[in-house]
Every structure is written in C-alpha cells, then in structure tokens.
Amino acid sequence: MRKTFILLFVFLHAVLSSQTTLLGGVPGLAFRKNSIKQSVSPKDTLKDRLMNFHLVVDEYPDHFFKKLNVSLNQPTFFMVGNEFGGKERKVYAKIGSSIISSSGIIDFSDTLKITDRELNAKILTFTKKDVNRKINPIVFFNKSSNKKLLIPEVLVFNNSLSDIDIQKVETYLSIKYGITINNISEKNYISSGDHILWDSKKNKNYNFRITGIGRDDAYELYQKQSKNSNKGTITIAMDSLRPTNSSNSGVIENENFLLWGDNNQDLKFKEADLLSQHAKRDMLRIWKVQSKSTNGQVLKTNMYATLPVPPSGSVMKLRIFQNENNYQNDISMDVTGKKINDSLYVFKDILWNIDRDGIDYFTFSLDDSQSNANIQLVSTCEDLGKNLVKISVPAGLSPFEYSLQSLTTDQSAINGTLNSGTQLVFNNLKADNYKLTIKKQGYGDIIRTFDLQGIINQNIDSNYLWQGAPIELDLNTNALQYTLKGPNGQTTSTAPYFLTGTGNYQLTIKNKSGCEITKSLAVLNTADYATLQNNSLFKNIQVSPNPSRDGNMTIKVQLKTAKPLTIKIFNSLGILIKQGEYNAASEFTIPMSIQPNVGYYSIKIFTPEEGKGINYIIY
C-alpha cells in the first residue's frame, strides 16, 4: 500500500510538474484548448473548418466554463482566431477579468485593440501584471452565432512571460496557423531551441504575410505545408499539396524551418526597364526566404502560386535568387511553372538554401515577345548627364508611332513617329521617370521604362544623428547598385547598408549602364547635430495624422525665409512613390495621399539649399 501511494504521489507530481514545461519549455501553462483533428476520414467536412490545412473539430464551442486551480493575477494568454476585427464588437470569451472580443482584449486597466476594418485571422497576445487585485481564475467562452468562426487554440499561462517566451509561443502559433505576428512590429520568430527563424530587423522590408513550414518537437509542431491565412498567394508544401497538413507525406527533420515574407508590393508585373539592375518584367512583389537547418537538411518543396492572369502568349516563370549578391546582380535560377487553371501555377522540386547562407529571394516574371524585343538604351553616362537619351530599336521595326509619358505626373511628354532608322533620340529631357510606348500596326505595344533621376533621387539624408544604434539606409536595391564606405575604410556592397557610428561615409550609386555618383553622408553626435539644426532654414515640420490608416496626410512646413519646396515620399524599399513641387513661400500646408499599404515611409522635404526627413507609418 505504501509503495502504491509513493508511486501515485510520484505520478501526480510528474503530471503537475510537467504542466510547467509542456509547451517548448515555456513555464506556467495553466490552460490549453486545442480542437485540431489530426486524422481526416472521408465523412469529415473540410469546408469552412480549415486553418492552414488543419481541420478544426468545433467551429466554436457552446458555453464553456472552467475554473483553474492557479492564480491569474499575472496571466499571459494567446488566442488564435480566423475572424477578428470588423465593425461590430462581439464578445467571445472572458479569461480572468479580461474580456476578449472581435476588437481586441479589454480589461479594466489595460486594452489591446484591433483596428482592422476587415475580418482577419489573428493571434491575440495579452500579458497582465496586476498583483494588487485578486482575479477570478476562470476561463469562459461565450457561444457565437457565427458558424464560420474558428478559434482552434487558446493558451493561458499563470505568469507574466518574458518577451522571448512570448515570441516563442507566437512563433509556434504563427507557423501552425499561417498568421503573421509582424507587419510593422519588430518581433523575431524564435524556436524552442532559441534559434532565430525570422529576423525582423534584417528582413524589415519583407515583414508581410510571414508564413512557414517546419518542425519543432518540443511544441509538437510539424507543419509540412502552409499558406498565409490572410490573402496568401503562395503555398509551399513538402511533397505534393494535400487537403490537410497531417496527410502530407513529406519529411522535415526536427528543428528545420523555412519561412517566407513579402515586401507588400502589388501583384503586378512591371514593364521592362532600360536602366534598372532588374530589367525583366518581374513582379513588383518580391519574397524573401529565411531557412534554418540544424543538421544540413536542404528542403525540397513544391510551390503553388495564385497569380494574375498573364497576357496571351506569356510564359510564367519563377525566379529564385540564391543569395543577396545574386539578387542585387539579377542572377537567378528560373523555373517554368505548370498551369493548373487560369491563375494557379505549380513549380515543382524547388531546392532552398543550396548555398547554406540561410537566405533566398524569389519573384515571378513574364517571358513574352514584349519583354524580349531588342530595345536598348545606348546613351553614354555623359549623354545621360546632359539629359540626352538614345534608344536603339530593331532594324525593320520602323515606321512606328511612339509616346513618352512621365510616370510621376502621368502626363504625356512627347509624341512622335519614327519613319526610318534604328534609333530614337530625346534631347533636353527633364529629370524624371518615363514610360516609352511604341505602337506599330499589327504588333502589340512595346513598353520600356527608364528613370533619369533615379541615380540622384535617393531616400537618404546628408546628416544623421547618432543615438547608439546602427542606422539602416532604405535604398532601392531593386534598380541600382550601391557601395558604402565607412570612416574606417571598410566597404559594404550588399544590403543591409548600416551606418554603424559617428563619422563620414561615402555612398556610391551605380545604374545598369555603369554610370555612378558618390554622395557624402555624415553621422553626428548630439552636440554637432543640434548646432546643425540651429542653423537650419526649417523652423517647423508637422505631418498629421502620423501614424495613419488611410494614407491621407497634411504636411505643414515653416521656413525662416521664403523658398521653393519639393516633397518626395519613399516607401521602405527606397522607391519614390509620390512627389510635389511648390512655389516659394515661408509657410506651406500641403495635403497629400498615398496608397494605404501598411508599412514604413520616408517623407523628404527639400529647399534648394537643404533637406529634411520625416518618418511616416501606415498601420
């Protein structure tokens, strides 16, 4: 009897102790709801019951009440759902004293709100530190009338988790359910083994729709196929794609991961460019892939992509850049996709991280007669410096009509006809970004773009304030090549480009034709920067609202003396997306708007003598 009691005591102690180590070693797990069904029978109805290829057993529970045997004075909890946000506030659950609703988590002293106007899949994370008030240790779920609402997992911890432990749990949930935890936050994705699977700062331009596959046995995570739950375009699967994750027969070894995120650009194909490093008709949206392997496993996957319907006669290709250097030099491995229907393609047997540097890029490109037409810019750098543009065209193409349009103003600049010859010549062009359209009867339009001001029109300042942290330059590496030389003579030729301390830097910028300029940058200490500001022509600059939801803003500028003003807005990729020029004045109130794509932006404000930069956020 005594032996039985001891064995029972040891068993109970092991069970109770294991509750503190059950989820990847994160301590204090007090409650877990997980309604995922791992095996699927032919009778199971998958429609509206899948989250990232996991079958959710119950769409939403009836009234559920559980009183825990632990305190919730400092709880941390996580809740996954497919429909948070929207206009109506709907209450789903109560945990301790906190009410969980479609608009976030509301507590007497704390709030976490969701401002999305559309219903989206989200991971709600909430940590409460309220040691002075006794909180009922209850978990209560309210019955919902929404039959499409899925809340597949809820985790409640009885302590205030550290930032690292929170990121570990969020990583597990994000990979499992295909829900991004980033966007404009700076959270890393971290495995139970403390490996950084996605570095938010290094990948800051690609923190959108982060999705992944991988295996982490400490969390019982084994994700073999994934698609982002919010407007995901890309599905990556080990072996062939299956209706559910559990039925995928691919193999991933423990602690191996593949995560991808995109730059939040449009799913559109740019026109072939005459001066860009990436001259082909690539998609504006580019994906970055970060791989983590603890044993050298190279993941081979299939990729399924829902893409815009291409023009007739076009071939859709997947372009994979194996590293940063290959991306910046436009060296890719191209794979032709198999068309499944009008918009769905599959690209098979893709190998990732072949060079073992942990980084790949990919995008899609159109291969067609329009992009392959032999049209080239033949101006010398001296010609371009004089705004003289010479473009060669194939013999036999003339006669044809042509037009030149400004892409910044959408206004026509030149219209004409080339009756004979093989060269178009444009004299005294204004420094601008242009689109050339060639029209010939019986042929499709041939379009080329070129940016005369791109090499000088950069998202950089002349002076920066040193605040103890590296300063990253947001540069348009898609179009131009850069070399950054630091105060100690050390050079960097691939992104990211960081200013790592006070001193003088030289940034060399080069286009596809080999034309280059060098700009001087200075990183100043607080005293020198303050002196510079005191001597500035600018009295005051305000941008409101900032942050913004809709991209509408009002820019107010006060100068010490009347000067003409130029405003340029760049996205986080260093690409100019909006500009305006204004006559001389000492005060300006300027309304502007940009597309409301979530992310970081830089507003540059110039007088003829000086420039200032303001950070702007759309969330």
Side-chain angles (χ1 to χ4, degrees), residues 31-279:
F31 174 81
R32 182 180 188 182
K33 172 187 175 292
N34 187 344
S35 64
I36 295 298
K37 187 170 184 180
Q38 299 298 340
S39 60
V40 180
S41 69
K43 295 181 180 180
D44 286 318
T45 302
L46 300 179
K47 181 176 172 56
D48 296 329
R49 296 182 66 183
L50 287 174
M51 281 197 70
N52 199 23
F53 304 106
H54 293 287
L55 177 60
V56 181
V57 177
D58 50 77
E59 293 93 341
Y60 197 77
D62 289 338
H63 294 297
F64 176 89
F65 179 90
K66 182 175 179 63
K67 186 172 183 180
L68 308 180
N69 60 357
V70 293
S71 171
L72 287 183
N73 291 82
Q74 298 188 67
T76 304
F77 67 86
F78 306 82
M79 185 174 188
V80 178
N82 66 331
E83 293 192 355
F84 287 122
K87 297 179 180 179
E88 298 180 12
R89 179 176 176 268
K90 298 180 179 178
V91 174
Y92 300 136
K94 183 176 182 181
I95 297 179
S97 61
S98 300
I99 297 172
I100 305 170
S101 74
S102 57
S103 59
I105 299 170
I106 301 175
D107 184 75
F108 295 112
S109 58
D110 304 279
T111 61
L112 173 62
K113 293 184 178 179
I114 297 172
T115 55
D116 286 352
R117 296 168 185 171
E118 297 181 2
L119 294 172
N120 284 312
K122 281 194 173 294
I123 300 169
L124 297 188
T125 304
F126 186 66
T127 297
K128 184 175 180 58
K129 298 180 180 179
D130 192 356
V131 296
N132 296 321
R133 186 168 76 237
K134 185 177 181 181
I135 300 175
N136 290 327
I138 61 168
V139 175
F140 174 77
F141 288 93
N142 194 20
K143 185 176 181 180
S144 172
S145 59
N146 182 1
K147 295 299 182 183
K148 292 186 178 181
L149 175 63
L150 303 176
I151 298 183
E153 193 149 353
V154 177
L155 300 167
V156 181
F157 294 82
N158 61 15
N159 61 331
S160 180
L161 297 183
S162 68
D163 290 343
I164 297 299
D165 281 342
I166 288 174
Q167 289 174 45
K168 286 183 178 182
V169 177
E170 287 179 328
T171 298
Y172 153 71
L173 296 172
S174 176
I175 295 175
K176 185 173 182 179
Y177 297 107
I179 301 174
T180 304
I181 60 174
N182 269 31
N183 281 347
I184 61 173
S185 69
E186 293 186 347
K187 291 182 178 180
N188 289 335
Y189 283 58
I190 306 174
S191 72
S192 65
D194 294 312
H195 300 296
I196 296 178
L197 310 179
W198 183 267
D199 191 309
S200 175
K201 289 187 177 180
K202 289 183 179 179
N203 303 331
K204 74 171 188 176
N205 293 331
Y206 299 89
N207 283 332
F208 299 92
R209 285 166 286 273
I210 300 168
T211 319
I213 58 175
R215 179 174 172 181
D216 194 337
D217 288 350
Y219 284 98
E220 298 181 356
L221 173 68
Y222 199 172
Q223 195 68 30
K224 304 177 186 180
Q225 55 187 43
S226 277
K227 176 181 179 180
N228 198 273
S229 292
N230 295 321
K231 301 178 182 178
T233 298
I234 303 300
T235 303
I236 291 181
M238 299 294 295
D239 198 59
S240 295
L241 184 64
R242 301 296 180 186
T244 61
N245 178 72
S246 59
S247 59
N248 187 303
S249 60
V251 175
I252 304 176
E253 296 177 21
N254 188 33
E255 296 188 351
N256 284 262
F257 301 88
L258 185 79
L259 274 70
W260 59 95
D262 68 68
N263 63 1
N264 205 34
Q265 300 300 293
D266 290 337
L267 294 168
K268 295 179 180 178
F269 295 95
K270 67 183 180 69
E271 303 298 345
D273 193 273
L274 298 174
L275 280 173
S276 172
Q277 287 299 122
H278 286 247

Side-chain angles (χ1 to χ4, degrees), residues 419-618:
N419 291 310
S420 62
T422 59
Q423 194 173 89
L424 284 169
V425 179
F426 301 107
N427 285 292
N428 300 318
L429 282 180
K430 180 182 177 181
D432 204 345
N433 193 7
Y434 291 98
K435 180 173 79 171
L436 170 67
T437 303
I438 295 175
K439 293 180 177 289
K440 182 178 177 66
Q441 189 172 2
Y443 292 77
D445 290 354
I446 300 174
I447 299 174
R448 293 293 185 270
T449 59
F450 59 94
D451 188 354
L452 276 188
Q453 62 179 352
I455 199 167
I456 59 172
N457 190 24
Q458 298 294 306
N459 183 23
I460 55 175
D461 295 326
S462 298
N463 299 285
Y464 295 84
L465 171 63
W466 180 248
Q467 296 178 304
I471 303 166
E472 183 175 357
L473 300 177
D474 294 323
L475 302 175
N476 185 3
T477 56
N478 181 54
L480 302 163
Q481 286 186 318
Y482 303 86
T483 301
L484 180 66
K485 184 177 181 180
N488 60 359
Q490 184 176 357
T491 61
T492 303
S493 297
T494 57
Y497 295 89
F498 285 106
L499 308 177
T500 55
T502 57
N504 296 316
Y505 296 76
Q506 301 293 321
L507 180 67
T508 302
I509 308 161
K510 183 167 66 174
N511 65 18
K512 182 184 177 184
S513 297
C515 310
E516 66 180 38
I517 64 170
T518 299
K519 291 196 171 187
S520 297
L521 315 177
V523 180
L524 307 175
N525 60 37
T526 303
D528 291 342
Y529 192 79
T531 300
L532 188 70
Q533 300 308 303
N534 290 334
N535 296 327
S536 172
L537 286 171
F538 289 88
K539 289 175 61 178
N540 187 37
I541 299 174
Q542 290 183 336
V543 179
S544 61
N546 186 17
S548 168
R549 293 253 347 142
D550 57 11
N552 295 318
M553 71 191 83
T554 299
I555 302 172
K556 293 183 178 181
V557 180
Q558 291 180 303
L559 302 175
K560 295 177 181 177
T561 185
K563 294 286 182 180
L565 204 69
T566 300
I567 295 179
K568 297 179 179 180
I569 303 178
F570 297 84
N571 65 16
S572 62
L573 301 170
I575 299 171
L576 178 66
I577 59 173
K578 188 92 171 185
Q579 70 176 28
E581 297 179 357
Y582 308 92
N583 295 328
S586 58
E587 293 191 6
F588 300 83
T589 299
I590 302 167
M592 297 189 81
S593 64
I594 59 177
Q595 290 293 321
N597 294 324
V598 172
Y600 294 96
Y601 296 83
S602 181
I603 301 173
K604 302 295 185 186
I605 304 172
F606 301 94
T607 66
E609 299 86 1
E610 189 181 357
K612 292 285 187 181
I614 301 293
N615 293 325
Y616 180 72
I617 296 175
I618 297 179

Side-chain angles (χ1 to χ4, degrees), residues 233-241 258 269 283 287 299-308 310 314-320 333-352 362-367:
T233 298
I234 303 300
T235 303
I236 291 181
M238 299 294 295
D239 198 59
S240 295
L241 184 64
L258 185 79
F269 295 95
M283 183 175 280
W287 287 260
L299 295 183
K300 181 170 74 172
T301 72
N302 292 331
M303 179 189 293
Y304 301 79
T306 303
L307 302 172
S314 296
V315 176
M316 188 76 70
K317 290 191 174 181
L318 168 68
R319 301 189 71 199
I320 301 176
M333 177 182 69
D334 295 356
V335 180
T336 301
K338 179 181 178 181
K339 193 173 183 179
I340 297 177
N341 56 41
D342 284 345
S343 60
L344 182 61
Y345 292 78
V346 59
F347 302 87
K348 292 191 173 182
D349 299 329
I350 307 300
L351 293 173
W352 302 101
F362 70 87
T363 190
F364 302 92
S365 188
L366 292 179
D367 188 357

